[in-house]
Amino acid sequence: MKRRNETEVTEFVLTGFSNFPDLQLVLFVVFSLMYLASLSGNVIIMAIIWLNRSLHIPMYFFLSLLSFSESCYTFVIVPNMLVTLLLGRKTISFAGCVTQMFFFIGIACTNCLILIGMGYDRYVAVCHPLHYHLMMNRRVCLQLGASLAVSGFFFSFIETYLVFHLPFYGGNRIDHYFCDVAPVVKLACPPDQNTEVVILALCTIFILGSFLSVILSYFFIFVTVLRIPSAEGKRKAFSTCTSHLIVVIVHFGCASATYLRPISSYIPGKDIMVSIMYTLVTPLLNPIVYSLRNKDIQTALRKLLIKEILNWRTGRIHALVL
């Protein structure tokens, strides 16, 4: 990003929640609790999946990837936001802003692509059950997971380059609590409408393309399920897809509301509220949905807790005997 040496802007000021000076401490406590709940929930899901061999199947491999990606996703944004709320430090360097945007977009895009991978996994499981273990073996899953991450960060590199290739002179107040695309682009001087159109087009292609890919998978799934003669068979087939669909709708709903519109229509107060949805609420929703609706996760968690309690009791008895 050589543009940094050619501009007067060396740092940005994140205005964030400065319009609510009396609520800084309250917001800090609320957001901290949400962040800890999200982080601990996703870590628990990862631990359950990796410690329970019965869950070492493609569906839970992608779920663990999503939980890991969500944990990284919140780590890029939320800690800095909490520091700003608690200490009032609102500046971020030019390089720090570039880095934050790159990783934020990269992980967000990877999340969308992981949802495509999860949809494809369910498509193969329902529509091609006899070839499932061949089409979704360990090697295929690892290669698919790696390609999703590379693709997400490749898109992020293009998007971040387009944003920070713009000229920044004088204005450095970002009306947001992190370096998001729209509020940063609005600081460009002079504005570059061509770049804004390209950014909007790329976001539209990526978000709509990802969403339609998931919907296409579920279209074939629903067609196949409707052909199942027994009601019980239909129920089981649909039950494995419901949780995923809920997460998909929330993810792409938030992404569409934020990025599928002109940058000029950015409204700080309204868009900050939407951003809270996809930086705090959505990562928290993932473990809640999968833990409450997935019987395998519930059973594995129950067994893990029972095992730990028995180990603790055995240790206490052994200590008393000694």
Side-chain angles (χ1 to χ4, degrees):
M1 299 298 176
K2 297 181 180 179
R3 177 68 62 180
R4 178 180 179 181
N5 297 325
E6 303 171 6
T7 66
E8 298 177 359
V9 174
T10 58
E11 65 179 18
F12 293 100
V13 178
L14 299 169
T15 60
F17 303 96
S18 57
N19 292 332
F20 309 99
D22 298 332
L23 296 176
Q24 301 287 302
L25 184 58
V26 175
L27 292 174
F28 172 79
V29 173
V30 172
F31 293 160
S32 295
L33 292 175
M34 294 177 67
Y35 176 59
L36 291 175
S38 170
L39 187 62
S40 58
N42 282 298
V43 169
I44 288 172
I45 285 182
M46 287 187 287
I48 291 172
I49 292 173
W50 289 108
L51 292 176
N52 195 309
R53 295 187 63 85
S54 65
L55 299 181
H56 290 184
I57 58 177
M59 181 173 70
Y60 294 109
F61 168 76
F62 287 110
L63 177 56
S64 65
L65 279 185
L66 182 63
S67 294
F68 176 74
S69 183
E70 292 280 23
S71 300
C72 297
Y73 177 75
T74 54
F75 182 75
V76 171
I77 304 297
V78 181
N80 184 66
M81 179 186 69
L82 294 177
V83 170
T84 300
L85 285 170
L86 186 62
L87 303 179
R89 182 173 62 83
K90 300 179 180 180
T91 59
I92 183 170
S93 67
F94 191 97
C97 192
V98 174
T99 303
Q100 187 183 59
M101 183 179 293
F102 172 73
F103 281 101
F104 167 72
I105 296 176
I107 298 172
C109 291
T110 301
N111 285 349
C112 293
L113 296 176
I114 289 174
L115 292 174
I116 296 177
M118 296 174 75
Y120 176 72
D121 170 70
R122 292 298 85 207
Y123 160 75
V124 176
V126 175
C127 301
H128 303 282
L130 298 179
H131 300 91
Y132 179 71
H133 293 291
L134 179 63
M135 297 175 66
M136 297 298 295
N137 58 49
R138 180 180 178 84
R139 180 181 177 183
V140 171
C141 289
L142 291 175
Q143 291 177 340
L144 183 57
S147 64
L148 295 178
V150 171
S151 300
F153 278 94
F154 178 72
F155 178 86
S156 176
F157 174 80
I158 296 174
E159 192 90 348
T160 306
Y161 175 79
L162 288 172
V163 172
F164 289 97
H165 184 69
L166 296 169
F168 294 94
Y169 293 98
N172 69 338
R173 291 177 62 85
I174 299 176
D175 293 325
H176 215 304
Y177 57 86
F178 71 97
C179 292
D180 204 359
V181 175
V184 173
V185 170
K186 289 192 73 172
L187 294 179
C189 183
D192 188 340
Q193 293 184 349
N194 292 331
T195 300
E196 292 183 17
V197 170
V198 172
I199 291 174
L200 176 61
L202 288 175
C203 289
T204 302
I205 292 171
F206 183 88
I207 294 173
L208 288 183
S210 300
F211 180 69
L212 291 176
S213 297
V214 178
I215 295 302
L216 183 62
S217 296
Y218 276 96
F219 171 76
F220 290 114
I221 289 173
F222 290 146
V223 170
T224 302
V225 170
L226 290 176
R227 295 174 182 171
I228 298 176
S230 67
E232 181 64 19
K234 291 180 180 179
R235 188 193 63 79
K236 288 182 178 180
F238 279 126
S239 64
T240 62
C241 304
T242 306
S243 300
H244 182 228
L245 274 177
I246 293 173
V247 175
V248 165
I249 291 170
V250 174
H251 267 79
F252 286 103
C254 292
S256 300
T258 305
Y259 298 105
L260 297 189
R261 57 193 177 90
I263 291 173
S264 58
S265 65
Y266 174 78
I267 304 173
K270 177 182 177 181
D271 286 274
I272 285 177
M273 296 303 296
V274 176
S275 299
I276 291 173
M277 282 292 297
Y278 63 76
T279 56
L280 279 168
V281 178
T282 301
L284 179 60
L285 180 68
N286 178 41
I288 291 176
V289 169
Y290 281 106
S291 62
L292 291 179
R293 297 189 61 87
N294 192 293
K295 292 182 179 180
D296 291 337
I297 294 290
Q298 294 175 8
T299 301
L301 178 59
R302 195 178 301 114
K303 289 181 178 179
L304 184 62
L305 291 175
I306 292 173
K307 181 180 178 181
E308 291 300 318
I309 292 173
L310 291 176
N311 289 339
W312 178 78
R313 287 183 177 179
T314 301
R316 292 281 294 176
I317 293 171
H318 183 69
L320 290 174
V321 171
L322 292 179

